[in-house]
Amino acid sequence: MGGAAVAWLFVLFAAAAILPAAEAAHTVYSEYQTHEPEKLSPQDHRTAYHFQPPKNWINDPNGPLFYKGVYHLFYQYNPKGAVWGNIVWAHSVSRDLVNWIPLPPAIYPSKPFDINGCWSGSATILPDGRPAILYTGIDPRNRQVQNVAFPKDPADPYLREWVKPDYNPVINPDAAINASAFRDPTTAWRGGDGWWRVVVGSKNDLQGLAVLYRSKDFVRWVKAAAPLHSAAGTGMWECPDFFPVARRGRNGLDTSAAGPALKHVMKVSLDLTRFEYYTLGSYSPEKDRYLPDAGMADDRTGLRYDYGNFYASKTFYDPAGRRRILWGWSNESDSTIPRAVWLDNGGRQLVQWPVQELEKLRGKKVEARDLILRKGARYEIKGILTSQADVEVTFEVTGLEKAEGFDPRWKDAQELCKKKGADVAGGVGPFGLWVLASGDLSERTAVFFRVFKGKEKHVVLLCHDDSSSTSRAGVWKPSFAGFVDVDIQKDRKISLRSLIDASVVESFGAGGKTCITSRVYPVHAVGGAAHLHAFNNGAAAVKISLLRAWQMGTPNMNQPTEP
Ligand SMILES: *[C@@H]1O[C@H](CO)[C@@H](O)[C@H](O)[C@H]1NC(C)=O
Ligand SMILES: *[C@@H]1O[C@H](CO)[C@@H](O)[C@H](O)[C@H]1NC(C)=O
């Protein structure tokens, strides 16, 4: 990569904002290529340990699976440029979810049923152990159809070549379905009756739909009379994901698991908001209907895996680690760290945590204990490269009676974070971390908690406030925030983990109850010039009982090597 790489980041932002989803063009935005790189090196914003290819545009993670000791991740990729277009299923393999080796694209336009595009889909492991991929193809009439692909040589653990049988498409949009809004098949699950089920995302006007199909042989699919689930006013459901979670414990479950010891999760990526929402609920295999629990919503008031820059996610069951692993796309062009996902005690929400393999990258460590941060105090974490780090902190809170009152009209966490940013002094909090901060602190991204006094209990907000980051004009950097469902009065402490990786900040509040990912493009706080501080801008003192920060190593991230 030459000097054009800095512009490349801009091109990606511009592309994400301007390109309509269905426009397959390699557009060059010359106005973004003339920006002065302000002494930044082309690689200053390139992440080190988040999944990405050596160059070019990526979007949705596709069909993650585990096969013969190898993890596979496919993803929507433009082999020809840094904007959306020419999309193929790129393919990488890993033995540890940390180091990745690129293989040739697995699926690319070559047959009538996908000649105009090979879009997102999922993998299913068949009873004989072979994987099958279901994906959306764009046919010569620009209709969205669903196709199946199988490995050419099931003996090859790297699954290098995929065959798309000529009987495709296996699912055509019928007259009742909008053929321009019919995509992203899920992993299939098999009922006790031996029938496979799969859902495809769609819409009918503004009603979001998870259209259900059944098959005995994975080849002939029949549409069910009713969708698995739908919701008025939510628009197109992209990348639906539907899977069981155990009521107890952190182990994941195979997608076909059934019985009383589990609940189901239905996640949709709403094209209207460009954010994802999920519900917990129950699935009736007899009726083939999914019913969210009382109080759960599929719309923009619903629960989110991640309250930041996170979309088009997908999970898979990892039989080796007996866990369910989640991947999301963080635009412009990265995937988040794979996260294990399980049901929280109490069953009201999911919890996520970076896969433990990531800890292999932890290098030099610095530690602090029993630090009291009074109002206005800060503490700098020194001695490691903080632009590539993993930080874990536990904050003990005091003076809860000083918490600001919570106005019940504050339903939108993101709005609240915008109004009460990290520099707005409070009662209990804001306290947290300033990451990717310049030496003079004029540039910084705040990751913080703020505690309010609600009617019944305290309300805790986790926030990413990037407003003090000087990144260049035109870069998308909203404040992101989510509420954290904890009883702070009882716990008296709250934990925060942040993964910092040049231009990604990925935070896990309260052990992974509330997660936020941001893309940040500092001008000064890059590489060795980035600083990390803990801070408190609240009237009540907070105590850092333990802070540990590790410099993170650089894995093999899709540099060509022999697997
Ligand atoms: C990606 O970035 C753009 C800003 O360039 C934003 O408007 C958009 O909503 C983002 N998210 C997704 C999922 O496309
Ligand atoms: C079908 O979906 C496309 C793409 O979202 C939309 O532009 C079009 O209006 C829809 N057609 C109907 C009849 O709803």
Side-chain angles (χ1 to χ4, degrees), residues 16 22 102 196 214 224-225 250 257 286 288 290 296 337 351 354 358 363 384 397 413 424 466 481 517:
W196 287 104
R214 296 194 194 93
R250 298 182 174 193
E286 294 75 35
D288 254 334
Y290 168 74
M296 297 268 163
I337 292 296
V351 184
L358 183 71
I384 58 165
V397 299
V424 179
D466 195 18
T517 302

Side-chain angles (χ1 to χ4, degrees), residues 160-456:
R160 286 182 178 85
E161 286 184 79
W162 289 77
V163 178
K164 305 178 292 190
D166 285 326
Y167 56 68
N168 276 307
V170 290
I171 300 178
N172 272 298
D174 66 20
I177 286 175
N178 182 340
S180 302
F182 183 53
R183 54 183 179 268
D184 310 337
T186 62
T187 295
W189 67 100
R190 199 155 75 133
D193 56 7
W195 285 79
W196 287 104
R197 278 97 166 150
V198 72
V199 302
V200 181
S202 188
K203 66 172 176 183
N204 186 358
D205 259 331
L206 277 181
Q207 182 178 36
L209 299 174
V211 187
L212 180 70
Y213 291 82
R214 296 194 194 93
S215 175
K216 266 269 181 207
D217 57 6
F218 226 82
V219 173
R220 278 173 299 264
W221 292 87
V222 179
K223 192 173 130 183
L228 178 76
H229 185 47
S230 68
T234 52
M236 177 65 192
W237 284 7
E238 296 195 291
C239 303
D241 201 8
F242 182 65
F243 58 89
V245 282
R247 284 181 188 268
R248 278 179 206 291
R250 298 182 174 193
N251 283 351
L253 295 172
D254 181 87
T255 310
S256 295
L262 54 83
K263 295 183 77 70
H264 271 81
V265 177
M266 174 95 216
K267 182 277 296 185
V268 291
S269 306
L270 292 195
D271 198 22
L272 283 181
T273 66
R274 304 300 285 168
F275 292 119
E276 306 197 308
Y277 307 88
Y278 72 86
T279 55
L280 295 163
S282 45
Y283 163 61
S284 153
E286 294 75 35
K287 296 196 192 111
D288 254 334
R289 296 298 287 272
Y290 168 74
L291 188 68
D293 290 347
M296 297 268 163
D298 310 273
D299 62 18
R300 64 184 76 209
T301 64
L303 292 167
R304 288 167 58 181
Y305 289 151
D306 189 299
Y307 291 84
N309 182 339
F310 189 94
Y311 196 72
S313 72
K314 188 162 302 291
T315 64
F316 76 108
Y317 175 61
D318 167 22
R322 297 182 65 200
R323 57 192 166 171
R324 184 162 284 271
I325 295 178
L326 167 72
W327 296 91
W329 168 51
S330 193
N331 85 5
E332 30 54 37
S333 227
D334 269 311
S335 298
T336 52
I337 292 296
R339 306 172 182 177
V341 49
W342 66 90
L343 187 66
D344 189 23
N345 295 336
R348 288 192 310 249
Q349 66 160 97
L350 298 171
V351 184
Q352 301 155 72
W353 200 244
V355 294
Q356 71 190 40
E357 287 90 332
L358 183 71
E359 294 167 24
K360 295 202 313 194
L361 294 178
R362 286 176 168 179
K364 190 174 177 198
K365 173 170 115 174
V366 291
E367 202 175 284
R369 274 170 208 274
D370 298 333
L371 286 173
I372 310 271
L373 294 181
R374 294 186 201 289
K375 185 175 186 186
R378 63 187 158 86
Y379 170 79
E380 178 162 10
I381 297 118
K382 289 186 186 155
I384 58 165
L385 180 71
T386 61
S387 55
Q388 191 174 323
D390 180 353
V391 193
E392 288 197 56
V393 208
T394 304
F395 296 98
E396 285 178 27
V397 299
T398 64
L400 279 172
E401 68 285 353
K402 293 187 184 141
E404 302 153 79
F406 185 77
D407 182 336
R409 285 173 302 183
W410 293 339
K411 299 245 186 285
D412 185 327
Q414 191 169 330
E415 281 302 310
L416 184 53
C417 172
K418 200 156 62 172
K419 182 167 27 203
K420 291 186 177 280
D423 300 333
V424 179
V428 180
F431 60 83
L433 300 171
W434 282 325
V435 305
L436 298 172
S438 59
D440 64 359
L441 282 172
S442 63
E443 176 180 69
R444 58 184 191 251
T445 294
V447 179
F448 66 91
F449 294 107
R450 191 174 199 116
V451 181
F452 299 91
K453 210 177 335 184
K455 253 211 156 71
E456 271 126 45

Side-chain angles (χ1 to χ4, degrees), residues 507-550:
S507 298
F508 300 81
K513 284 190 156 199
T514 300
C515 309
I516 301 178
T517 302
S518 293
R519 301 301 309 259
V520 180
Y521 299 90
V523 174
H524 307 288
V526 296
H531 296 255
L532 173 66
H533 298 256
F535 76 95
N536 177 22
N537 274 337
V542 292
K543 177 165 143 187
I544 293 180
S545 37
L546 178 61
L547 181 153
R548 292 178 299 171
W550 294 265

Side-chain angles (χ1 to χ4, degrees), residues 15 24 38 54 75 99 111 136 142 157 200-201 228 278 283 294 331 403 410 423 431 443 464 469 479 499 506 552:
E38 322 187 22
Y75 55 97
N99 293 279
K111 301 266 184 135
T136 300
N142 280 328
V200 181
L228 178 76
Y278 72 86
Y283 163 61
N331 85 5
W410 293 339
D423 300 333
F431 60 83
E443 176 180 69
H464 269 199
S469 180
S479 289
L499 302 173
E506 197 177 343
M552 293 296 270

